[in-house]
PDB file of all heavy atoms in Angstrom:
ATOM      1  N   VAL A 296      76.983 141.936 121.798  1.00  0.00           N
ATOM      2  CA  VAL A 296      76.497 140.884 120.887  1.00  0.00           C
ATOM      3  C   VAL A 296      75.486 141.480 119.941  1.00  0.00           C
ATOM      4  O   VAL A 296      74.544 142.142 120.349  1.00  0.00           O
ATOM      5  CB  VAL A 296      75.834 139.744 121.729  1.00  0.00           C
ATOM      6  CG1 VAL A 296      75.193 138.766 120.786  1.00  0.00           C
ATOM      7  CG2 VAL A 296      76.894 139.050 122.584  1.00  0.00           C
ATOM      8  N   PRO A 297      75.638 141.226 118.653  1.00  0.00           N
ATOM      9  CA  PRO A 297      74.677 141.706 117.654  1.00  0.00           C
ATOM     10  C   PRO A 297      73.341 140.916 117.783  1.00  0.00           C
ATOM     11  O   PRO A 297      73.256 139.928 118.499  1.00  0.00           O
ATOM     12  CB  PRO A 297      75.318 141.436 116.296  1.00  0.00           C
ATOM     13  CG  PRO A 297      76.335 140.391 116.590  1.00  0.00           C
ATOM     14  CD  PRO A 297      76.758 140.548 117.999  1.00  0.00           C
ATOM     15  N   GLY A 298      72.371 141.345 117.063  1.00  0.00           N
ATOM     16  CA  GLY A 298      70.999 140.803 117.153  1.00  0.00           C
ATOM     17  C   GLY A 298      70.876 139.346 116.807  1.00  0.00           C
ATOM     18  O   GLY A 298      70.500 138.520 117.570  1.00  0.00           O
ATOM     19  N   GLN A 299      71.112 139.003 115.515  1.00  0.00           N
ATOM     20  CA  GLN A 299      70.860 137.658 115.014  1.00  0.00           C
ATOM     21  C   GLN A 299      72.153 136.872 114.986  1.00  0.00           C
ATOM     22  O   GLN A 299      73.037 137.041 114.136  1.00  0.00           O
ATOM     23  CB  GLN A 299      70.293 137.754 113.573  1.00  0.00           C
ATOM     24  CG  GLN A 299      68.879 138.291 113.546  1.00  0.00           C
ATOM     25  CD  GLN A 299      67.891 137.337 114.218  1.00  0.00           C
ATOM     26  OE1 GLN A 299      67.168 137.809 115.071  1.00  0.00           O
ATOM     27  NE2 GLN A 299      67.906 136.096 113.939  1.00  0.00           N
ATOM     28  N   ILE A 300      72.306 135.962 115.985  1.00  0.00           N
ATOM     29  CA  ILE A 300      73.476 135.169 116.086  1.00  0.00           C
ATOM     30  C   ILE A 300      73.106 133.741 116.563  1.00  0.00           C
ATOM     31  O   ILE A 300      71.968 133.474 116.933  1.00  0.00           O
ATOM     32  CB  ILE A 300      74.508 135.722 117.077  1.00  0.00           C
ATOM     33  CG1 ILE A 300      73.856 135.753 118.489  1.00  0.00           C
ATOM     34  CG2 ILE A 300      74.939 137.129 116.693  1.00  0.00           C
ATOM     35  CD1 ILE A 300      74.863 135.935 119.630  1.00  0.00           C
ATOM     36  N   TRP A 301      74.135 132.893 116.514  1.00  0.00           N
ATOM     37  CA  TRP A 301      73.989 131.558 117.143  1.00  0.00           C
ATOM     38  C   TRP A 301      74.991 131.491 118.311  1.00  0.00           C
ATOM     39  O   TRP A 301      76.190 131.214 118.075  1.00  0.00           O
ATOM     40  CB  TRP A 301      74.271 130.466 116.134  1.00  0.00           C
ATOM     41  CG  TRP A 301      74.183 129.062 116.690  1.00  0.00           C
ATOM     42  CD1 TRP A 301      73.415 128.669 117.707  1.00  0.00           C
ATOM     43  CD2 TRP A 301      74.886 127.905 116.236  1.00  0.00           C
ATOM     44  NE1 TRP A 301      73.572 127.322 117.981  1.00  0.00           N
ATOM     45  CE2 TRP A 301      74.507 126.822 117.074  1.00  0.00           C
ATOM     46  CE3 TRP A 301      75.810 127.684 115.207  1.00  0.00           C
ATOM     47  CZ2 TRP A 301      74.992 125.564 116.920  1.00  0.00           C
ATOM     48  CZ3 TRP A 301      76.310 126.407 115.013  1.00  0.00           C
ATOM     49  CH2 TRP A 301      75.927 125.366 115.841  1.00  0.00           C
ATOM     50  N   PRO A 302      74.567 131.707 119.553  1.00  0.00           N
ATOM     51  CA  PRO A 302      75.463 131.611 120.685  1.00  0.00           C
ATOM     52  C   PRO A 302      75.841 130.187 121.010  1.00  0.00           C
ATOM     53  O   PRO A 302      74.958 129.311 121.065  1.00  0.00           O
ATOM     54  CB  PRO A 302      74.648 132.279 121.851  1.00  0.00           C
ATOM     55  CG  PRO A 302      73.260 132.054 121.452  1.00  0.00           C
ATOM     56  CD  PRO A 302      73.187 132.085 119.933  1.00  0.00           C
ATOM     57  N   VAL A 303      77.123 129.933 121.192  1.00  0.00           N
ATOM     58  CA  VAL A 303      77.576 128.598 121.460  1.00  0.00           C
ATOM     59  C   VAL A 303      78.350 128.439 122.730  1.00  0.00           C
ATOM     60  O   VAL A 303      78.689 127.363 123.156  1.00  0.00           O
ATOM     61  CB  VAL A 303      78.437 128.057 120.261  1.00  0.00           C
ATOM     62  CG1 VAL A 303      77.563 127.915 119.019  1.00  0.00           C
ATOM     63  CG2 VAL A 303      79.648 128.877 120.031  1.00  0.00           C
ATOM     64  N   ASP A 304      78.725 129.585 123.346  1.00  0.00           N
ATOM     65  CA  ASP A 304      79.541 129.511 124.558  1.00  0.00           C
ATOM     66  C   ASP A 304      79.372 130.760 125.387  1.00  0.00           C
ATOM     67  O   ASP A 304      79.192 131.868 124.848  1.00  0.00           O
ATOM     68  CB  ASP A 304      81.025 129.341 124.203  1.00  0.00           C
ATOM     69  CG  ASP A 304      81.912 129.049 125.417  1.00  0.00           C
ATOM     70  OD1 ASP A 304      81.421 128.338 126.395  1.00  0.00           O
ATOM     71  OD2 ASP A 304      83.024 129.522 125.465  1.00  0.00           O
ATOM     72  N   TYR A 305      79.393 130.574 126.756  1.00  0.00           N
ATOM     73  CA  TYR A 305      79.346 131.684 127.621  1.00  0.00           C
ATOM     74  C   TYR A 305      80.458 131.528 128.677  1.00  0.00           C
ATOM     75  O   TYR A 305      80.652 130.429 129.260  1.00  0.00           O
ATOM     76  CB  TYR A 305      77.997 131.781 128.374  1.00  0.00           C
ATOM     77  CG  TYR A 305      76.801 132.039 127.481  1.00  0.00           C
ATOM     78  CD1 TYR A 305      76.114 131.021 126.886  1.00  0.00           C
ATOM     79  CD2 TYR A 305      76.390 133.351 127.212  1.00  0.00           C
ATOM     80  CE1 TYR A 305      75.022 131.242 126.051  1.00  0.00           C
ATOM     81  CE2 TYR A 305      75.342 133.610 126.388  1.00  0.00           C
ATOM     82  CZ  TYR A 305      74.649 132.539 125.798  1.00  0.00           C
ATOM     83  OH  TYR A 305      73.586 132.802 124.966  1.00  0.00           O
ATOM     84  N   GLN A 306      81.190 132.614 128.878  1.00  0.00           N
ATOM     85  CA  GLN A 306      82.307 132.604 129.871  1.00  0.00           C
ATOM     86  C   GLN A 306      82.123 133.757 130.849  1.00  0.00           C
ATOM     87  O   GLN A 306      82.031 134.950 130.435  1.00  0.00           O
ATOM     88  CB  GLN A 306      83.669 132.683 129.187  1.00  0.00           C
ATOM     89  CG  GLN A 306      83.946 131.562 128.212  1.00  0.00           C
ATOM     90  CD  GLN A 306      85.280 131.717 127.513  1.00  0.00           C
ATOM     91  OE1 GLN A 306      86.119 132.549 127.890  1.00  0.00           O
ATOM     92  NE2 GLN A 306      85.518 130.939 126.438  1.00  0.00           N
ATOM     93  N   ARG A 307      82.104 133.439 132.132  1.00  0.00           N
ATOM     94  CA  ARG A 307      81.943 134.504 133.154  1.00  0.00           C
ATOM     95  C   ARG A 307      83.322 134.868 133.697  1.00  0.00           C
ATOM     96  O   ARG A 307      84.151 133.995 133.882  1.00  0.00           O
ATOM     97  CB  ARG A 307      81.036 134.032 134.246  1.00  0.00           C
ATOM     98  CG  ARG A 307      79.572 133.800 133.813  1.00  0.00           C
ATOM     99  CD  ARG A 307      78.685 133.445 134.976  1.00  0.00           C
ATOM    100  NE  ARG A 307      77.342 133.254 134.541  1.00  0.00           N
ATOM    101  CZ  ARG A 307      76.442 134.234 134.314  1.00  0.00           C
ATOM    102  NH1 ARG A 307      76.805 135.465 134.594  1.00  0.00           N
ATOM    103  NH2 ARG A 307      75.212 133.950 133.924  1.00  0.00           N
ATOM    104  N   TYR A 308      83.506 136.148 133.971  1.00  0.00           N
ATOM    105  CA  TYR A 308      84.745 136.629 134.600  1.00  0.00           C
ATOM    106  C   TYR A 308      84.474 137.846 135.402  1.00  0.00           C
ATOM    107  O   TYR A 308      83.435 138.519 135.250  1.00  0.00           O
ATOM    108  CB  TYR A 308      85.812 136.880 133.490  1.00  0.00           C
ATOM    109  CG  TYR A 308      85.528 138.061 132.660  1.00  0.00           C
ATOM    110  CD1 TYR A 308      86.146 139.328 132.922  1.00  0.00           C
ATOM    111  CD2 TYR A 308      84.647 138.025 131.574  1.00  0.00           C
ATOM    112  CE1 TYR A 308      85.877 140.444 132.129  1.00  0.00           C
ATOM    113  CE2 TYR A 308      84.381 139.145 130.798  1.00  0.00           C
ATOM    114  CZ  TYR A 308      84.982 140.351 131.095  1.00  0.00           C
ATOM    115  OH  TYR A 308      84.728 141.423 130.279  1.00  0.00           O
ATOM    116  N   ASP A 309      85.386 138.152 136.301  1.00  0.00           N
ATOM    117  CA  ASP A 309      85.256 139.333 137.156  1.00  0.00           C
ATOM    118  C   ASP A 309      86.096 140.482 136.606  1.00  0.00           C
ATOM    119  O   ASP A 309      87.256 140.292 136.275  1.00  0.00           O
ATOM    120  CB  ASP A 309      85.681 138.992 138.603  1.00  0.00           C
ATOM    121  CG  ASP A 309      84.742 138.028 139.266  1.00  0.00           C
ATOM    122  OD1 ASP A 309      83.527 138.067 138.933  1.00  0.00           O
ATOM    123  OD2 ASP A 309      85.175 137.234 140.105  1.00  0.00           O
ATOM    124  N   ASP A 310      85.483 141.667 136.532  1.00  0.00           N
ATOM    125  CA  ASP A 310      86.206 142.819 136.003  1.00  0.00           C
ATOM    126  C   ASP A 310      86.314 143.877 137.144  1.00  0.00           C
ATOM    127  O   ASP A 310      85.297 144.229 137.751  1.00  0.00           O
ATOM    128  CB  ASP A 310      85.374 143.448 134.843  1.00  0.00           C
ATOM    129  CG  ASP A 310      86.160 144.527 134.148  1.00  0.00           C
ATOM    130  OD1 ASP A 310      87.403 144.654 134.396  1.00  0.00           O
ATOM    131  OD2 ASP A 310      85.555 145.261 133.350  1.00  0.00           O
ATOM    132  N   LEU A 311      87.521 144.261 137.439  1.00  0.00           N
ATOM    133  CA  LEU A 311      87.782 145.222 138.499  1.00  0.00           C
ATOM    134  C   LEU A 311      87.771 146.637 137.904  1.00  0.00           C
ATOM    135  O   LEU A 311      88.578 147.014 137.078  1.00  0.00           O
ATOM    136  CB  LEU A 311      89.143 144.935 139.146  1.00  0.00           C
ATOM    137  CG  LEU A 311      89.491 145.758 140.375  1.00  0.00           C
ATOM    138  CD1 LEU A 311      88.462 145.537 141.510  1.00  0.00           C
ATOM    139  CD2 LEU A 311      90.908 145.437 140.855  1.00  0.00           C
ATOM    140  N   VAL A 312      86.822 147.482 138.353  1.00  0.00           N
ATOM    141  CA  VAL A 312      86.708 148.857 137.881  1.00  0.00           C
ATOM    142  C   VAL A 312      86.581 149.764 139.116  1.00  0.00           C
ATOM    143  O   VAL A 312      85.633 149.659 139.880  1.00  0.00           O
ATOM    144  CB  VAL A 312      85.448 148.994 136.967  1.00  0.00           C
ATOM    145  CG1 VAL A 312      85.309 150.453 136.540  1.00  0.00           C
ATOM    146  CG2 VAL A 312      85.517 148.072 135.801  1.00  0.00           C
ATOM    147  N   ASP A 313      87.615 150.648 139.257  1.00  0.00           N
ATOM    148  CA  ASP A 313      87.650 151.620 140.311  1.00  0.00           C
ATOM    149  C   ASP A 313      87.469 150.916 141.674  1.00  0.00           C
ATOM    150  O   ASP A 313      86.719 151.402 142.582  1.00  0.00           O
ATOM    151  CB  ASP A 313      86.509 152.681 140.195  1.00  0.00           C
ATOM    152  CG  ASP A 313      86.716 153.525 138.924  1.00  0.00           C
ATOM    153  OD1 ASP A 313      87.899 153.714 138.520  1.00  0.00           O
ATOM    154  OD2 ASP A 313      85.718 153.978 138.361  1.00  0.00           O
ATOM    155  N   GLY A 314      88.171 149.856 141.855  1.00  0.00           N
ATOM    156  CA  GLY A 314      88.133 149.132 143.103  1.00  0.00           C
ATOM    157  C   GLY A 314      86.918 148.273 143.310  1.00  0.00           C
ATOM    158  O   GLY A 314      86.839 147.639 144.375  1.00  0.00           O
ATOM    159  N   GLU A 315      86.000 148.249 142.373  1.00  0.00           N
ATOM    160  CA  GLU A 315      84.773 147.424 142.514  1.00  0.00           C
ATOM    161  C   GLU A 315      84.792 146.285 141.494  1.00  0.00           C
ATOM    162  O   GLU A 315      85.300 146.441 140.398  1.00  0.00           O
ATOM    163  CB  GLU A 315      83.522 148.254 142.294  1.00  0.00           C
ATOM    164  CG  GLU A 315      83.312 149.344 143.356  1.00  0.00           C
ATOM    165  CD  GLU A 315      81.945 149.990 143.236  1.00  0.00           C
ATOM    166  OE1 GLU A 315      81.001 149.316 142.778  1.00  0.00           O
ATOM    167  OE2 GLU A 315      81.846 151.242 143.460  1.00  0.00           O
ATOM    168  N   VAL A 316      84.285 145.170 141.950  1.00  0.00           N
ATOM    169  CA  VAL A 316      84.312 143.955 141.074  1.00  0.00           C
ATOM    170  C   VAL A 316      82.937 143.817 140.469  1.00  0.00           C
ATOM    171  O   VAL A 316      81.884 143.843 141.085  1.00  0.00           O
ATOM    172  CB  VAL A 316      84.613 142.716 141.902  1.00  0.00           C
ATOM    173  CG1 VAL A 316      84.549 141.436 141.040  1.00  0.00           C
ATOM    174  CG2 VAL A 316      85.974 142.792 142.566  1.00  0.00           C
ATOM    175  N   PHE A 317      82.934 143.702 139.107  1.00  0.00           N
ATOM    176  CA  PHE A 317      81.703 143.530 138.348  1.00  0.00           C
ATOM    177  C   PHE A 317      81.773 142.181 137.599  1.00  0.00           C
ATOM    178  O   PHE A 317      82.816 141.832 136.993  1.00  0.00           O
ATOM    179  CB  PHE A 317      81.513 144.664 137.308  1.00  0.00           C
ATOM    180  CG  PHE A 317      81.339 146.011 137.982  1.00  0.00           C
ATOM    181  CD1 PHE A 317      82.419 146.836 138.252  1.00  0.00           C
ATOM    182  CD2 PHE A 317      80.058 146.433 138.219  1.00  0.00           C
ATOM    183  CE1 PHE A 317      82.243 148.087 138.835  1.00  0.00           C
ATOM    184  CE2 PHE A 317      79.859 147.719 138.836  1.00  0.00           C
ATOM    185  CZ  PHE A 317      80.904 148.521 139.125  1.00  0.00           C
ATOM    186  N   GLY A 318      80.696 141.471 137.665  1.00  0.00           N
ATOM    187  CA  GLY A 318      80.605 140.229 136.889  1.00  0.00           C
ATOM    188  C   GLY A 318      80.322 140.515 135.415  1.00  0.00           C
ATOM    189  O   GLY A 318      79.390 141.260 135.110  1.00  0.00           O
ATOM    190  N   ARG A 319      81.148 139.967 134.591  1.00  0.00           N
ATOM    191  CA  ARG A 319      80.972 140.116 133.121  1.00  0.00           C
ATOM    192  C   ARG A 319      80.773 138.785 132.445  1.00  0.00           C
ATOM    193  O   ARG A 319      81.140 137.713 133.022  1.00  0.00           O
ATOM    194  CB  ARG A 319      82.236 140.816 132.546  1.00  0.00           C
ATOM    195  CG  ARG A 319      82.589 142.141 133.159  1.00  0.00           C
ATOM    196  CD  ARG A 319      81.618 143.228 132.847  1.00  0.00           C
ATOM    197  NE  ARG A 319      82.062 144.534 133.311  1.00  0.00           N
ATOM    198  CZ  ARG A 319      81.373 145.657 133.271  1.00  0.00           C
ATOM    199  NH1 ARG A 319      80.174 145.617 132.724  1.00  0.00           N
ATOM    200  NH2 ARG A 319      81.897 146.782 133.670  1.00  0.00           N
ATOM    201  N   VAL A 320      80.261 138.822 131.266  1.00  0.00           N
ATOM    202  CA  VAL A 320      80.014 137.609 130.470  1.00  0.00           C
ATOM    203  C   VAL A 320      80.537 137.780 129.090  1.00  0.00           C
ATOM    204  O   VAL A 320      80.233 138.786 128.393  1.00  0.00           O
ATOM    205  CB  VAL A 320      78.503 137.270 130.425  1.00  0.00           C
ATOM    206  CG1 VAL A 320      78.331 136.016 129.533  1.00  0.00           C
ATOM    207  CG2 VAL A 320      77.952 137.029 131.773  1.00  0.00           C
ATOM    208  N   LEU A 321      81.417 136.868 128.662  1.00  0.00           N
ATOM    209  CA  LEU A 321      81.846 136.809 127.300  1.00  0.00           C
ATOM    210  C   LEU A 321      81.025 135.788 126.558  1.00  0.00           C
ATOM    211  O   LEU A 321      80.792 134.680 127.012  1.00  0.00           O
ATOM    212  CB  LEU A 321      83.333 136.426 127.174  1.00  0.00           C
ATOM    213  CG  LEU A 321      84.353 137.433 127.687  1.00  0.00           C
ATOM    214  CD1 LEU A 321      85.717 136.831 127.600  1.00  0.00           C
ATOM    215  CD2 LEU A 321      84.254 138.709 126.850  1.00  0.00           C
ATOM    216  N   VAL A 322      80.546 136.172 125.357  1.00  0.00           N
ATOM    217  CA  VAL A 322      79.733 135.261 124.588  1.00  0.00           C
ATOM    218  C   VAL A 322      80.439 134.845 123.304  1.00  0.00           C
ATOM    219  O   VAL A 322      80.995 135.694 122.517  1.00  0.00           O
ATOM    220  CB  VAL A 322      78.404 135.996 124.139  1.00  0.00           C
ATOM    221  CG1 VAL A 322      77.524 135.049 123.286  1.00  0.00           C
ATOM    222  CG2 VAL A 322      77.628 136.456 125.357  1.00  0.00           C
ATOM    223  N   GLY A 323      80.561 133.555 123.107  1.00  0.00           N
ATOM    224  CA  GLY A 323      81.104 132.978 121.867  1.00  0.00           C
ATOM    225  C   GLY A 323      79.939 132.698 120.937  1.00  0.00           C
ATOM    226  O   GLY A 323      78.966 132.045 121.336  1.00  0.00           O
ATOM    227  N   TYR A 324      80.029 133.150 119.694  1.00  0.00           N
ATOM    228  CA  TYR A 324      78.900 133.020 118.769  1.00  0.00           C
ATOM    229  C   TYR A 324      79.336 132.862 117.324  1.00  0.00           C
ATOM    230  O   TYR A 324      80.505 133.222 117.004  1.00  0.00           O
ATOM    231  CB  TYR A 324      77.927 134.175 118.907  1.00  0.00           C
ATOM    232  CG  TYR A 324      78.475 135.494 118.337  1.00  0.00           C
ATOM    233  CD1 TYR A 324      78.179 135.857 116.988  1.00  0.00           C
ATOM    234  CD2 TYR A 324      79.291 136.318 119.069  1.00  0.00           C
ATOM    235  CE1 TYR A 324      78.694 137.039 116.456  1.00  0.00           C
ATOM    236  CE2 TYR A 324      79.774 137.513 118.496  1.00  0.00           C
ATOM    237  CZ  TYR A 324      79.496 137.821 117.197  1.00  0.00           C
ATOM    238  OH  TYR A 324      79.984 138.991 116.669  1.00  0.00           O
ATOM    239  N   HIS A 325      78.437 132.319 116.532  1.00  0.00           N
ATOM    240  CA  HIS A 325      78.654 132.335 115.068  1.00  0.00           C
ATOM    241  C   HIS A 325      77.665 133.270 114.443  1.00  0.00           C
ATOM    242  O   HIS A 325      76.431 133.172 114.705  1.00  0.00           O
ATOM    243  CB  HIS A 325      78.456 130.909 114.520  1.00  0.00           C
ATOM    244  CG  HIS A 325      79.470 129.891 114.960  1.00  0.00           C
ATOM    245  ND1 HIS A 325      80.786 130.000 114.619  1.00  0.00           N
ATOM    246  CD2 HIS A 325      79.346 128.801 115.729  1.00  0.00           C
ATOM    247  CE1 HIS A 325      81.448 128.999 115.147  1.00  0.00           C
ATOM    248  NE2 HIS A 325      80.548 128.247 115.817  1.00  0.00           N
ATOM    249  N   PRO A 326      78.080 134.197 113.661  1.00  0.00           N
ATOM    250  CA  PRO A 326      77.151 135.112 112.979  1.00  0.00           C
ATOM    251  C   PRO A 326      76.394 134.416 111.861  1.00  0.00           C
ATOM    252  O   PRO A 326      76.893 133.439 111.341  1.00  0.00           O
ATOM    253  CB  PRO A 326      78.081 136.209 112.461  1.00  0.00           C
ATOM    254  CG  PRO A 326      79.369 135.516 112.254  1.00  0.00           C
ATOM    255  CD  PRO A 326      79.503 134.495 113.316  1.00  0.00           C
ATOM    256  N   ASP A 327      75.244 134.976 111.514  1.00  0.00           N
ATOM    257  CA  ASP A 327      74.469 134.391 110.432  1.00  0.00           C
ATOM    258  C   ASP A 327      75.163 134.387 109.096  1.00  0.00           C
ATOM    259  O   ASP A 327      74.805 133.638 108.173  1.00  0.00           O
ATOM    260  CB  ASP A 327      73.125 135.147 110.311  1.00  0.00           C
ATOM    261  CG  ASP A 327      72.204 134.882 111.489  1.00  0.00           C
ATOM    262  OD1 ASP A 327      72.564 134.068 112.333  1.00  0.00           O
ATOM    263  OD2 ASP A 327      71.101 135.510 111.505  1.00  0.00           O
ATOM    264  N   SER A 328      76.193 135.244 108.963  1.00  0.00           N
ATOM    265  CA  SER A 328      76.956 135.318 107.703  1.00  0.00           C
ATOM    266  C   SER A 328      77.725 134.003 107.454  1.00  0.00           C
ATOM    267  O   SER A 328      78.170 133.745 106.322  1.00  0.00           O
ATOM    268  CB  SER A 328      77.927 136.487 107.688  1.00  0.00           C
ATOM    269  OG  SER A 328      78.857 136.344 108.769  1.00  0.00           O
ATOM    270  N   ARG A 329      77.812 133.133 108.411  1.00  0.00           N
ATOM    271  CA  ARG A 329      78.515 131.835 108.209  1.00  0.00           C
ATOM    272  C   ARG A 329      77.572 130.736 107.744  1.00  0.00           C
ATOM    273  O   ARG A 329      77.956 129.570 107.666  1.00  0.00           O
ATOM    274  CB  ARG A 329      79.171 131.401 109.543  1.00  0.00           C
ATOM    275  CG  ARG A 329      80.353 132.271 109.914  1.00  0.00           C
ATOM    276  CD  ARG A 329      81.032 131.836 111.203  1.00  0.00           C
ATOM    277  NE  ARG A 329      82.234 132.616 111.460  1.00  0.00           N
ATOM    278  CZ  ARG A 329      83.017 132.441 112.561  1.00  0.00           C
ATOM    279  NH1 ARG A 329      82.693 131.573 113.474  1.00  0.00           N
ATOM    280  NH2 ARG A 329      84.097 133.224 112.688  1.00  0.00           N
ATOM    281  N   PHE A 330      76.333 131.110 107.466  1.00  0.00           N
ATOM    282  CA  PHE A 330      75.358 130.108 107.017  1.00  0.00           C
ATOM    283  C   PHE A 330      75.877 129.314 105.820  1.00  0.00           C
ATOM    284  O   PHE A 330      75.938 128.070 105.856  1.00  0.00           O
ATOM    285  CB  PHE A 330      74.001 130.726 106.707  1.00  0.00           C
ATOM    286  CG  PHE A 330      73.023 129.796 106.176  1.00  0.00           C
ATOM    287  CD1 PHE A 330      72.276 128.958 106.958  1.00  0.00           C
ATOM    288  CD2 PHE A 330      72.806 129.704 104.748  1.00  0.00           C
ATOM    289  CE1 PHE A 330      71.373 128.067 106.445  1.00  0.00           C
ATOM    290  CE2 PHE A 330      71.866 128.819 104.201  1.00  0.00           C
ATOM    291  CZ  PHE A 330      71.163 128.032 105.070  1.00  0.00           C
ATOM    292  N   TRP A 331      76.208 129.996 104.724  1.00  0.00           N
ATOM    293  CA  TRP A 331      76.617 129.267 103.501  1.00  0.00           C
ATOM    294  C   TRP A 331      77.971 128.549 103.671  1.00  0.00           C
ATOM    295  O   TRP A 331      78.083 127.404 103.166  1.00  0.00           O
ATOM    296  CB  TRP A 331      76.624 130.231 102.328  1.00  0.00           C
ATOM    297  CG  TRP A 331      75.223 130.559 101.847  1.00  0.00           C
ATOM    298  CD1 TRP A 331      74.587 131.698 101.893  1.00  0.00           C
ATOM    299  CD2 TRP A 331      74.315 129.628 101.251  1.00  0.00           C
ATOM    300  NE1 TRP A 331      73.330 131.593 101.345  1.00  0.00           N
ATOM    301  CE2 TRP A 331      73.133 130.318 100.946  1.00  0.00           C
ATOM    302  CE3 TRP A 331      74.408 128.253 100.900  1.00  0.00           C
ATOM    303  CZ2 TRP A 331      72.024 129.680 100.364  1.00  0.00           C
ATOM    304  CZ3 TRP A 331      73.328 127.685 100.336  1.00  0.00           C
ATOM    305  CH2 TRP A 331      72.147 128.385 100.007  1.00  0.00           C
ATOM    306  N   PRO A 332      78.970 129.142 104.316  1.00  0.00           N
ATOM    307  CA  PRO A 332      80.198 128.335 104.542  1.00  0.00           C
ATOM    308  C   PRO A 332      79.920 127.068 105.304  1.00  0.00           C
ATOM    309  O   PRO A 332      80.438 125.993 105.001  1.00  0.00           O
ATOM    310  CB  PRO A 332      81.075 129.315 105.298  1.00  0.00           C
ATOM    311  CG  PRO A 332      80.669 130.688 104.860  1.00  0.00           C
ATOM    312  CD  PRO A 332      79.191 130.556 104.680  1.00  0.00           C
ATOM    313  N   PHE A 333      79.093 127.169 106.361  1.00  0.00           N
ATOM    314  CA  PHE A 333      78.794 125.972 107.147  1.00  0.00           C
ATOM    315  C   PHE A 333      77.962 124.992 106.333  1.00  0.00           C
ATOM    316  O   PHE A 333      78.124 123.747 106.480  1.00  0.00           O
ATOM    317  CB  PHE A 333      78.000 126.358 108.413  1.00  0.00           C
ATOM    318  CG  PHE A 333      78.870 126.891 109.508  1.00  0.00           C
ATOM    319  CD1 PHE A 333      80.176 127.320 109.275  1.00  0.00           C
ATOM    320  CD2 PHE A 333      78.423 126.970 110.823  1.00  0.00           C
ATOM    321  CE1 PHE A 333      80.991 127.784 110.286  1.00  0.00           C
ATOM    322  CE2 PHE A 333      79.212 127.458 111.856  1.00  0.00           C
ATOM    323  CZ  PHE A 333      80.509 127.872 111.584  1.00  0.00           C
TER     324      PHE A 333
END
């Protein structure tokens, strides 16, 4: 995730790496570049 954003959603999922399960988070966000379109 970049520095200046507007986070609007978080999704957790499990990632299997070398037989081990790691908790990961996906972040849904709007970048500041969408200010004028919005």
